[in-house]
Amino acid sequence: MDCETSARGVDGFCDENGPNPFEGTEKTMEVEFIPTTDGPSADGDNGLRGISREDWQDIVSCCQATILSELSDTHVDSYLLSESSLFVYRHKIVVKTCGTTTLLACVPLLFTLAEGVGLKPDWIGYTRKNLLFPNLQVYPHQSFQQECDYLKQVCDLDGDAYILGPLSGEHLNMYVWDKYDETHSTNESTDRTLSLMMYGLDRDVAKLFLGRGSPAPLSSSKNDSISNANVGAKQAKPDERSKDMKVASNFFRTHLLPGAELDEHYFEPCGYSMNGVKDGFYETIHITPEAGYSYASFETNFQMKSYNQLVRMIVSFFKPERFMMVLCSDGGGLSEITEDATKECRLLPTETISRSETNHSWVRRTKSVQIFARDYQCICSSYVRVEKGSTTQCHEHATTQFLFV
């Protein structure tokens, strides 16, 4: 998400036809570990949290990223990265990187350092939505096949590959390696993670995340006419941007995970990242505001009984043209959810928190469900925005024609 170190243009702002568009879509990897023996890990049972920041920087460097700041509570260490986020628990990590980062390249060093604190991998899930600019990626992320081959051949993780959703439209690539052991059951686990990946942000919202010297945001809709006057528009003065920062920060603090401690970073000349932690749970937001490929993501592992209101609030704030919602959960987690947002065919905005009148709703185009061992499930749904009052119907098998990989 870092405009300073990413492959964006020299002026930090490119339209969709520019030479260096930025890929906001993240690569995400979650790894769960177990002790190598029946006793506590060698570092006194701090597990992965016993690994030094310097070693974590070495791991992140393998991904072509760097640590900007950190935030901790009694259960988790949160690292805000130049390209997204890293969350470290005693026996689990979650790492997300965007742009042209090489996330999977960190796996060998991660395993080596984990072994040093008495841990070995037990489960790995790697996910990546289809990209806007796959041709800009570098090894080992130039295709999903290449990513799978790297995990199998280089990392010795002989897992299974899945694609959730249509190949001709919005879909999620997923690779899972599970060293399943019936004696190591997680049936009682209530872990779950909700992710939103949003494209084509409302232009007024995108403007909140442009820095000094960046042109004004343009609609990312290919159906809108883009004037040269907008391209040359000046960005708000620093004091005006401070007001914009407060608008976004206040919304995130109030409506997402109230009471969470936040670690925020506004990039120059544009972009925004945030990690939040509360009682061992995390939330994270990453925003790419440029016209033509504006993008925002939200993810949390906070255990709610209903995510409906949260999803509505986030979508109402960003007003994307389209988005993907992914819910991954253990069996125990699904049993605790009383209202499942992925079941809704039409998603209406939350009126009370809209920054301006919202004349849209979002219609589900596809929904895919994959069930794994240990009752672990991944539910993936894609939505597109329709005008208020539209007679558009929900067709489960209709797809938007984006030829991404």
Side-chain angles (χ1 to χ4, degrees), residues 215-285:
L218 310 175
S219 170
S220 57
S221 170
K222 295 182 180 180
N223 295 323
D224 288 351
S225 60
I226 300 177
S227 67
N228 291 330
N230 283 338
V231 172
K234 293 182 178 180
Q235 172 56 19
K237 297 179 180 179
D239 59 336
E240 293 175 336
R241 192 189 183 200
S242 296
K243 296 178 182 178
D244 291 341
M245 290 180 185
K246 291 179 180 178
V247 170
S249 293
N250 289 341
F251 174 82
F252 297 151
R253 291 179 184 277
T254 304
H255 295 290
L256 301 186
L257 191 57
E261 186 175 359
L262 302 189
D263 182 11
E264 300 175 279
H265 190 94
Y266 281 81
F267 293 97
E268 289 294 347
C270 60
Y272 172 85
S273 287
M274 179 273 281
N275 286 348
V277 297
K278 178 184 178 183
D279 301 330
F281 300 106
Y282 72 81
E283 62 177 349
T284 185
I285 289 178

Side-chain angles (χ1 to χ4, degrees), residues 43-102:
D43 70 336
D45 210 23
N46 286 327
L48 298 170
R49 300 185 72 186
I51 296 175
S52 69
R53 172 174 170 145
E54 291 74 19
D55 284 337
W56 284 119
Q57 178 56 62
D58 289 342
I59 289 174
V60 169
S61 294
C62 293
C63 306
Q64 303 300 312
T66 187
I67 295 174
L68 299 178
S69 56
E70 61 183 287
L71 181 67
S72 298
D73 68 8
T74 57
H75 301 284
V76 60
D77 298 320
S78 158
Y79 295 94
L80 198 63
L81 308 182
S82 55
E83 279 82 13
S84 300
S85 301
L86 167 67
F87 300 96
V88 181
Y89 292 85
R90 285 178 56 244
H91 293 166
K92 180 177 74 174
I93 73 157
V94 178
V95 58
K96 302 173 70 70
T97 64
C98 58
T100 56
T101 50
T102 53

Side-chain angles (χ1 to χ4, degrees), residues 277-347:
V277 297
K278 178 184 178 183
D279 301 330
F281 300 106
Y282 72 81
E283 62 177 349
T284 185
I285 289 178
H286 301 283
I287 299 170
T288 297
E290 290 97 321
Y293 48 89
S294 61
Y295 171 80
S297 67
F298 171 81
E299 181 172 303
T300 185
N301 66 346
F302 189 71
Q303 297 183 3
M304 296 182 174
K305 293 185 180 300
S306 172
Y307 292 97
N308 292 21
Q309 183 76 355
L310 176 64
V311 171
R312 286 189 176 91
M313 286 192 294
I314 294 170
V315 172
S316 294
F317 181 82
F318 288 104
K319 304 181 186 70
E321 292 180 350
R322 66 186 194 278
F323 70 94
M324 176 176 285
M325 175 165 48
V326 179
L327 177 64
C328 294
S329 178
D330 289 322
L334 285 177
S335 66
E336 288 189 349
I337 298 175
T338 58
E339 292 181 314
D340 181 4
T342 65
K343 291 182 178 179
E344 298 197 21
C345 193
R346 180 179 287 268
L347 182 69

Side-chain angles (χ1 to χ4, degrees), residues 26-44:
E26 296 95 349
K27 311 168 183 82
T28 301
M29 180 175 68
E30 179 175 332
V31 187
E32 295 182 359
F33 293 85
I34 56 175
T36 53
T37 65
D38 293 334
S41 56
D43 70 336

Side-chain angles (χ1 to χ4, degrees), residues 93-308:
I93 73 157
V94 178
V95 58
K96 302 173 70 70
T97 64
C98 58
T100 56
T101 50
T102 53
L103 186 153
L104 294 180
C106 79
V107 173
L109 179 58
L110 172 64
F111 286 0
T112 298
L113 293 175
E115 185 178 6
V117 294
L119 297 174
K120 60 182 179 181
D122 182 53
W123 184 91
I124 294 176
Y126 171 73
T127 58
R128 174 181 62 74
K129 185 185 172 297
N130 51 302
L131 301 173
L132 293 170
F133 309 106
N135 58 304
L136 299 181
Q137 296 297 310
V138 298
Y139 179 84
H141 296 283
Q142 293 169 312
S143 69
F144 185 44
Q145 182 63 56
Q146 188 179 78
E147 291 168 326
C148 294
D149 291 343
Y150 183 88
L151 287 167
K152 286 177 179 287
Q153 300 169 9
V154 177
C155 303
D156 196 24
L157 298 169
D158 190 13
D160 295 306
Y162 305 86
I163 296 178
L164 282 71
L167 284 173
S168 59
E170 308 282 13
H171 61 270
L172 184 73
N173 297 316
M174 190 170 188
Y175 188 91
V176 174
W177 175 85
D178 188 355
K179 190 177 181 181
Y180 182 66
D181 183 350
E182 293 182 356
T183 64
H184 183 67
S185 176
T186 57
N187 291 338
E188 296 181 359
S189 172
T190 57
D191 287 352
R192 48 194 182 269
T193 302
L194 176 77
S195 302
L196 294 173
M197 292 161 274
M198 298 165 281
Y199 297 83
L201 309 182
D202 177 83
R203 68 181 69 187
D204 290 331
V205 175
K207 184 170 64 175
L208 300 176
F209 305 99
L210 292 174
R212 297 183 295 276
S214 296
L218 310 175
S219 170
S220 57
S221 170
K222 295 182 180 180
N223 295 323
D224 288 351
S225 60
I226 300 177
S227 67
N228 291 330
N230 283 338
V231 172
K234 293 182 178 180
Q235 172 56 19
K237 297 179 180 179
D239 59 336
E240 293 175 336
R241 192 189 183 200
S242 296
K243 296 178 182 178
D244 291 341
M245 290 180 185
K246 291 179 180 178
V247 170
S249 293
N250 289 341
F251 174 82
F252 297 151
R253 291 179 184 277
T254 304
H255 295 290
L256 301 186
L257 191 57
E261 186 175 359
L262 302 189
D263 182 11
E264 300 175 279
H265 190 94
Y266 281 81
F267 293 97
E268 289 294 347
C270 60
Y272 172 85
S273 287
M274 179 273 281
N275 286 348
V277 297
K278 178 184 178 183
D279 301 330
F281 300 106
Y282 72 81
E283 62 177 349
T284 185
I285 289 178
H286 301 283
I287 299 170
T288 297
E290 290 97 321
Y293 48 89
S294 61
Y295 171 80
S297 67
F298 171 81
E299 181 172 303
T300 185
N301 66 346
F302 189 71
Q303 297 183 3
M304 296 182 174
K305 293 185 180 300
S306 172
Y307 292 97
N308 292 21

